[in-house]
Amino acid sequence: MKTFLVVNPRSAGGETGKRWAEISGQVTRAIGDFGFGFTERAMDAVRLTRDALLDGYDCIAAVGGDGTVNEVVNGFFADGKAINPNAALGLIPRGTGGDFRRAFGWELDLDSALARLRTDKTEPFDVGLVEYVNHQGQKESRYFANIASFGVSAAVAHEVNIGSKALGGNLSFLWGTVKTMAKYKDRKVRLRVDGGEPEELGITVVAASNGRYFGSGMCVAPKAITHDGVFDLTIWHDYGLSDFIIKSKGVYNGDHITWNKTRYLQCRTLEADSDEEVFLEMDGEVPGRLPCRISILPGAIRLKV
């Protein structure tokens, strides 16, 4: 496949940019000639991906973390449809969080990432689409690769994103969770699953999951599969800081789905609104708030595995 790398030079604490000559040399030895572009600002990866697909590249690899993956996936689409449904998403993981790669058991080492790029093996990959209200009060839509959630998870993501992440991915998310959960109270939301009857309830987190992990390693959806055509929907209610401290093992290994404060089901669409301000996150980015509609696009693109 003709490969283009979308590179976030600021990923891995800036090491990706500093070591690019070394990294690119290893990529060349593994797959031969390739194209690449550096991101310079937010949403730059969207433009780079679209331009590469229109130029005939059929494998676009994100070199960075979950935020870079999110932007690259958005670049696979234009005017509401995939530019090339047969094009493949690849990944050279360089981020602080790494929740997307965890669903596949991929490590951070470059050799295994290049082995995936070198093969022709791909599988169908579902993509999520969220219609929501941005921070300026305007309606927007955005695609996601891993998980879209609202509630305290989005508040934590916002707290982490405005920080330095100097502690690293796991500790930054842990500290952000503690700070946010200490003052967070459940929000009243109205949910409609697959067009059914609306239900009003208090929520700590609602997560529509294509992958399994968010929050730098929390296994929010332990049964999720990225090519089954459905979201795994996790609803946490009445969770407090003590649940994350005392029962943290169950949050990280997936046992929480058996707890009475968790509801776990599958769906293809989810609509949500609230009279309160409820932030929304996608793949760790926080572009807006409720109301929202989340829907799945089964097998919309391919994934290099």
Side-chain angles (χ1 to χ4, degrees):
M1 301 181 82
K2 189 179 175 185
T3 301
F4 187 92
L5 271 53
V6 177
V7 183
N8 178 359
R10 294 166 301 283
S11 61
E15 285 296 306
T16 300
K18 294 175 185 176
R19 296 182 52 213
W20 178 243
E22 173 192 344
I23 294 169
S24 63
Q26 290 181 258
V27 175
T28 300
R29 287 190 290 274
I31 67 172
D33 292 339
F34 65 95
F36 73 93
F38 276 21
T39 61
E40 298 177 0
R41 60 188 66 85
M43 303 306 288
D44 226 8
V46 178
R47 174 186 60 82
L48 289 169
T49 300
R50 285 178 183 158
D51 288 349
L53 289 168
L54 292 171
D55 285 343
Y57 288 94
D58 51 7
C59 175
I60 312 297
V63 184
D66 293 336
T68 307
V69 172
N70 178 272
E71 290 191 20
V72 168
V73 165
N74 274 270
F76 271 74
F77 297 86
D79 301 321
K81 61 182 181 181
I83 295 171
N84 177 2
N86 295 315
L89 168 68
L91 176 64
I92 296 178
R94 300 285 300 169
T96 52
D99 287 314
F100 178 81
R101 67 173 174 82
R102 281 188 177 92
F104 308 97
W106 296 342
E107 299 298 332
L108 282 166
D109 66 290
L110 183 57
D111 288 342
S112 61
L114 293 178
R116 291 191 298 272
L117 287 183
R118 193 164 48 237
T119 73
D120 291 328
K121 186 178 180 182
T122 66
E123 67 182 23
F125 183 73
D126 301 337
V127 174
L129 172 64
V130 187
E131 300 158 85
Y132 60 96
V133 175
N134 67 20
H135 296 299
Q136 290 73 44
Q138 301 165 324
K139 291 183 179 180
E140 273 187 354
S141 62
R142 184 163 173 167
Y143 300 92
F144 67 94
N146 187 36
I147 291 174
S149 73
F150 48 89
V152 74
S153 53
V156 170
H158 176 71
E159 181 73 33
V160 172
N161 289 342
I162 63 175
S164 68
K165 297 186 182 179
L167 297 173
N170 292 338
L171 284 176
S172 293
F173 271 94
L174 181 60
W175 177 237
T177 299
V178 170
K179 284 177 66 178
T180 307
M181 287 297 301
K183 57 187 177 183
Y184 187 86
K185 297 186 183 301
D186 277 14
R187 303 295 198 262
K188 285 284 187 183
V189 301
R190 291 174 292 275
L191 301 179
R192 185 192 297 265
V193 177
D194 285 338
E197 289 297 314
E199 178 184 6
E200 183 171 88
L201 67 162
I203 61 98
T204 312
V205 171
V206 174
S209 302
N210 191 34
R212 297 178 182 178
Y213 297 90
F214 76 167
S216 199
M218 295 181 188
C219 191
V220 68
K223 299 180 181 180
I225 300 171
T226 58
H227 53 79
D228 61 356
V230 292
F231 293 124
D232 280 34
L233 184 64
T234 306
I235 302 172
W236 288 348
H237 65 92
D238 199 27
Y239 271 65
L241 181 58
S242 61
D243 292 294
F244 286 93
I245 294 175
I246 299 171
K247 303 179 181 179
S248 63
K249 182 179 179 181
V251 173
Y252 281 88
N253 68 16
D255 284 350
H256 66 88
I257 66 171
T258 66
W259 300 349
N260 60 9
K261 293 181 180 180
T262 300
R263 286 168 59 184
Y264 196 75
L265 60 150
Q266 291 183 319
C267 70
R268 290 178 174 84
T269 63
L270 174 69
E271 297 165 79
D273 68 277
S274 177
D275 297 327
E276 303 178 68
E277 185 173 68
V278 182
F279 287 121
L280 173 76
E281 67 86 20
M282 284 162 264
D283 299 341
E285 304 298 309
V286 188
R289 55 180 172 79
L290 301 189
C292 74
R293 185 178 192 274
I294 306 174
S295 54
I296 197 159
L297 308 177
I301 59 176
R302 309 287 299 181
L303 179 68
K304 274 271 190 175
V305 294

